[in-house]
Amino acid sequence: MAEGTDDRALPATEELALAREALVAGDLTHAADHVANALARAPTLPEVHETLARLAAASGSGGLDLFPLHHHTFVGAVVARAHLLAAAGRPAEGLDLLVAAAAHAPRTDWAGVPWVTSTELVEHLGPDRVARVLMQVCAAAPDPVPRSDRAALAPYLTLARNAITVHPEHALLLGTASALARRAGEVPLAVRWASRGVRAAPSKMGEVWLGYALRSAGRTREGLAALRRAVDHDPEDLAVYADIAGTLADHGRLDEALSWIEQALARNPSFDCAVHTAHRLRFQRDGDVGHLVALADYIRDNPDDSHEHSDLAECCRGRPWLGQLTPPTAGLAVRPQPLPLTGPESASTTPPPSTEAARRLRQVAHLAWPHPPAAYDTAVALATLDLNDLLGLLAHPPQTPDNPLGRVLSGQDPALWVRCVQVWTCLGLLHHRTDEPWATSTRRQVLVELAQAAEVTEAALFALMTAAWVDPSIRPDVARLVTQQLAAVAGDQRAPLPVTVSLAHLALATPDLDPECAALARMLAGVPAQPGQGPLRGLLARLRRPFRPRLPSPPP
């Protein structure tokens, strides 16, 4: 379904005026275009529907031929066809198109018209068809829908009420209506409808709908009981196990939650919902980033999950370096500085970046990201910049972007914008000459050198850490580099405390970090130690020893 036109589009009233002029001139095709545009801008305006009816009458064929469906059809044309189908006695087909429009633009009140909310529509559709429509609407809506967007659900909630009045004991209808009511913020109504559905015909899905409704109402114990009954109906539906585990974890019952998710994994170790939930709960239990790295590996290796999951992003949100930039560190320069790079393609004094490089950087730079692999993917927008441009961005940070983020940073914290530029530029370096083998690559060489420069140490190490998240083969190398840098800073009494803490958090986000280094990082960051960790005596001295690769022993 195609979007509308650009910001220069005419208001609905002007579109209607043009549609009427075209009607008078007998140009039905152009009249249809303007009516579709008007519908996209004001889908419930009575004058729009009056003009659509005039157009249908003028066409002699009900107007359907003026709004054909193609692979990419403008949403206004889809909605116009929906209304004409209803007028032609085919409301079920029309409702399907309105639901498609709702999936495309869920905040718009496409269905707020009399024929959708009339009691007669239920007689045309029947309870099963209404239930299917409600399921489609729910599939396109968050749970719950933000209060400001709930008006678009009101016509469908009226449809559900009308249908239940006629079919008060239809279990599937009651369950889907409960799901819609829950999303619309009508939680007590959702509980009543789901309870009636279970009484009418006990089933797995009925108990799931009831469990969700009770959970939304704050009746967690009863909600969990309903979900457990759903498992009794169908022990092989592992998604319910994951729901139970998530609910238990949300209420501080982590051990019980892990028990449920382990049961699910015992039945199917590769079931995506169970895998996502298991890694999230294990991370909640002990804070070991290895669980999140394993989840990222699973996501990369299994791109075709049954549905979208947000466990990784939820775990990384708000955490230093996993999901956001740390605050500026004391003692670091924020003015443009020459970069002391010695590589064959790097100059000690770097020219300013091109206008295009600055533009791209402003487009991608942000203070937060869902998780490290997502940050890596976003930085691909900088992939075609040459090395001089990337280094120029570091030495000469561009001005803040002309958007709310830029205005806040320029007015309140310019240093944070400089760090933001550094982070995203170093991420951009990860996409430089990716055909080169990592060990001898330009991108590794430059980032390792940058990690030695105080101004950009954290940004360079963050990029290296991110590379390790997306490429398991380089994790030992990156873990060694991070360990060496952390040990050097931890042993330097002159290093500002914020730098040390920031690097400690960065180390804790690094895959395959040595347990001893992880223990030091926790101590420096003030993060509680994991269970079973011993004392830190002599740890720093061992970490500061020069790295020597282990060679195989000679044969006996």
Side-chain angles (χ1 to χ4, degrees), residues 376-421:
Y376 176 86
D377 291 342
T378 300
V380 76
L382 307 176
T384 57
L385 298 182
D386 62 30
L387 186 58
N388 286 335
D389 260 342
L390 290 167
L391 297 179
L393 289 169
L394 292 176
H396 306 278
Q399 294 298 313
T400 55
D402 185 16
N403 58 29
L405 171 65
R407 288 189 285 274
V408 169
L409 291 180
S410 63
Q412 298 184 11
D413 201 343
L416 191 54
W417 168 248
V418 173
R419 285 168 60 75
C420 193
V421 170

Side-chain angles (χ1 to χ4, degrees), residues 219-253:
R219 297 161 62 178
T220 305
R221 181 182 59 80
E222 297 169 82
L224 285 169
L227 293 176
R228 291 187 179 105
R229 292 193 297 271
V231 171
D232 293 338
H233 279 285
D234 182 5
E236 299 303 319
D237 188 346
L238 303 185
V240 183
Y241 290 68
D243 286 336
I244 292 174
T247 302
L248 288 167
D250 289 343
H251 289 81
R253 298 162 64 177

Side-chain angles (χ1 to χ4, degrees), residues 469-485:
W469 272 71
V470 300
D471 184 355
S473 69
I474 69 171
R475 286 173 185 169
D477 177 48
V478 171
R480 175 178 61 85
L481 293 168
V482 172
T483 296
Q484 290 176 340
Q485 195 67 32

